[in-house]
Amino acid sequence: MSEEPRPYTLVAELTYRCPLRCVYCSNPTDWNRHADALTTDDWLRVFREAEALGVVQLNLTGGEPLLRDDLEQLVEGARRLDLYTNLITSGIPLARERLARLKALGLDNVQVSIQDVTAAESDRIAGARTFDRKLEVARWVKELGFPLTLNVVLHRDNLDRVAAVIALAESLAADRLELANTQYLGWALVNRRTLLPTREQLDAARDVARAARRRLQGRMEVLFVTPDYYAEFPKACMDGWGRRFLVVAPDGLVLPCHAAHTLPGLTFDNARARPLAEIWRHSTAFGAFRGEAWMPEPCRSCDRRAVDFGGCRCQAYHLTGDAAATDPACSLAPAHALVEAARAQALEPAASLTYRTARVAERA
């Protein structure tokens, strides 16, 4: 490609540990095998190396990043580098005093996840009683002067309540509402039969969100993310493999996206053993799906090849067994019938849910 890829955002997955057990969690299903191997000094060095590469935004995420005792030190280190730092959190566990301390140390933005608009439904999806505390945390965010992003993952069970979700976000004075339809990897793929909505549900919810976006313009940004399974063409996953995002996992693996380490045949470097700049520029794994040379047909001759970059490599692998296949979410993909079959299942009665857990899968 003519433009040299440059990372703008570092996604720091500080831990996969989390007090919630969400049925659509994007963490790997074997998350308990990935230890928190990076020390405070390791993470601070990663931040410095990322900033030197051109990164301007830092997402502190997990799992639940609040479970790191050194979160304050990490926020302080990011501020010294003038990185725009976003805490992506369930809000559990958090005390108002700790949030105020993070604000004083330079944290810029807080994103709080909420699963639904009632305690019963929200707690059922999260696998823990957390709804009321999440609302309290969202109010603290605003009281302390942070911008508040509210993230609500949408699926078959809550998509019909998008209007109520928007009303809840308004009541909390959210600055940004992410209506993020479930993307089916990790635990979400395990639960796809139950979570995937119908097209009618999706179209109705999109209309509600579109009207709210117009009504709330200038007061609250409303973002509606369509699930890949109902799009004509796939999204450019992470803006294209190894183009704009760096993900560092809790065990130190440096990845182009959250689930890349689930792909066989690729060996990812560890931030403890190799500088980020070398990994970004010279890693075999990062180069594997950069640009267009790797693309099969119909991607190779498609006018959209520099727009969606063949779609999601992880989705391609987990649906077809081939990471180099055209993303089956694409209507032109040879394996698109796999997605059509999944959509047909959305018309069937829901199956039981499998919760994120470190033990043998538990059923609802």
Side-chain angles (χ1 to χ4, degrees), residues 154-160 181 184 192-206 224 226-227 229-230 340 342-350:
L154 300 178
H155 46 82
R156 190 193 307 190
D157 283 357
N158 68 2
L159 200 56
D160 298 334
N181 278 276
Y184 293 95
R192 185 183 65 185
R193 182 178 171 187
T194 297
L195 296 177
L196 191 68
T198 65
R199 184 180 292 279
E200 290 72 23
Q201 279 186 296
L202 185 67
D203 289 345
R206 186 191 289 111
F224 188 88
T226 302
Y229 280 55
Y230 285 105
E340 292 176 336
R343 291 200 300 247
Q345 285 188 327
L347 301 172
E348 300 174 359

Side-chain angles (χ1 to χ4, degrees), residues 22-340:
C22 297
V23 296
Y24 47 67
C25 181
S26 62
N27 289 166
T29 53
D30 64 346
W31 66 268
N32 54 308
R33 295 177 55 195
H34 302 262
D36 297 351
L38 297 186
T39 65
T40 305
D41 288 342
D42 288 333
W43 276 116
L44 292 175
R45 176 179 51 77
V46 165
F47 295 173
R48 292 193 298 270
E49 292 179 0
E51 192 276 336
L53 264 175
V55 163
V56 295
Q57 178 169 297
L58 171 64
N59 291 341
L60 299 172
T61 183
E64 177 47 67
L66 292 169
L67 295 179
R68 289 281 302 213
D69 294 335
D70 58 356
L71 184 59
E72 285 82 351
Q73 293 170 266
L74 300 182
V75 168
E76 188 174 23
R79 170 51 53 215
R80 286 195 297 268
L81 295 167
D82 201 27
L83 295 172
Y84 185 88
T85 306
N86 182 30
L87 177 65
I88 299 175
T89 178
S90 69
I92 312 296
L94 182 63
R96 192 181 191 280
E97 294 74 17
R98 190 180 191 194
L99 187 58
R101 196 158 62 244
L102 292 169
K103 171 76 173 177
L105 291 170
L107 183 65
D108 292 297
N109 186 79
V110 181
Q111 175 180 305
V112 178
S113 64
I114 292 179
Q115 280 67 35
D116 212 319
V117 293
T118 68
E121 287 302 311
S122 182
D123 295 348
R124 182 178 73 88
I125 293 298
R129 295 181 60 181
T130 59
F131 179 72
D132 293 334
R133 185 54 180 266
K134 283 172 172 282
L135 298 187
E136 185 177 31
V137 168
R139 295 186 184 103
W140 293 344
V141 170
K142 293 297 295 186
E143 289 168 7
L144 291 169
F146 286 104
L148 170 63
T149 297
L150 204 65
N151 175 270
V152 182
V153 177
L154 300 178
H155 46 82
R156 190 193 307 190
D157 283 357
N158 68 2
L159 200 56
D160 298 334
R161 292 189 286 277
V162 163
V165 169
I166 294 167
L168 176 62
E170 288 185 79
S171 74
L172 294 170
D175 298 278
R176 176 182 171 92
L177 172 62
E178 294 184 357
L179 298 167
N181 278 276
T182 303
Q183 301 299 327
Y184 293 95
L185 293 169
W187 293 91
L189 183 57
V190 173
N191 288 304
R192 185 183 65 185
R193 182 178 171 187
T194 297
L195 296 177
L196 191 68
T198 65
R199 184 180 292 279
E200 290 72 23
Q201 279 186 296
L202 185 67
D203 289 345
R206 186 191 289 111
D207 289 344
V208 171
R210 186 180 294 120
R213 186 183 304 116
R214 291 193 297 266
R215 177 174 61 83
L216 296 169
Q217 187 173 10
R219 285 194 288 147
M220 182 172 73
E221 182 182 2
V222 178
L223 178 67
F224 188 88
V225 181
T226 302
D228 289 349
Y229 280 55
Y230 285 105
E232 183 179 3
F233 301 109
K235 303 177 188 68
C237 182
M238 304 294 280
D239 202 22
W241 181 279
R243 293 188 69 248
R244 296 290 179 253
F245 285 81
L246 270 168
V247 178
V248 179
D251 52 8
L253 289 183
V254 183
L255 310 166
C257 71
H258 301 75
H261 49 69
T262 65
L263 303 183
L266 295 178
T267 301
F268 291 97
D269 293 289
N270 197 293
R272 292 177 294 168
R274 193 178 185 189
L276 281 189
E278 287 188 15
I279 296 173
W280 179 259
R281 297 189 178 112
H282 305 300
S283 164
T284 301
F286 267 76
F289 299 114
R290 260 190 189 138
E292 303 173 12
W294 64 272
M295 291 182 179
E297 292 292 355
C299 298
R300 186 182 291 267
S301 57
C302 181
D303 291 341
R304 293 181 52 85
R305 64 186 180 277
V307 176
D308 57 40
F309 300 97
C312 177
R313 296 301 87 224
C314 300
Q315 189 158 262
Y317 169 70
H318 286 286
L319 292 184
T320 72
D322 180 6
T326 300
D327 186 342
C330 180
S331 58
L332 303 176
H336 185 61
L338 295 172
V339 169
E340 292 176 336

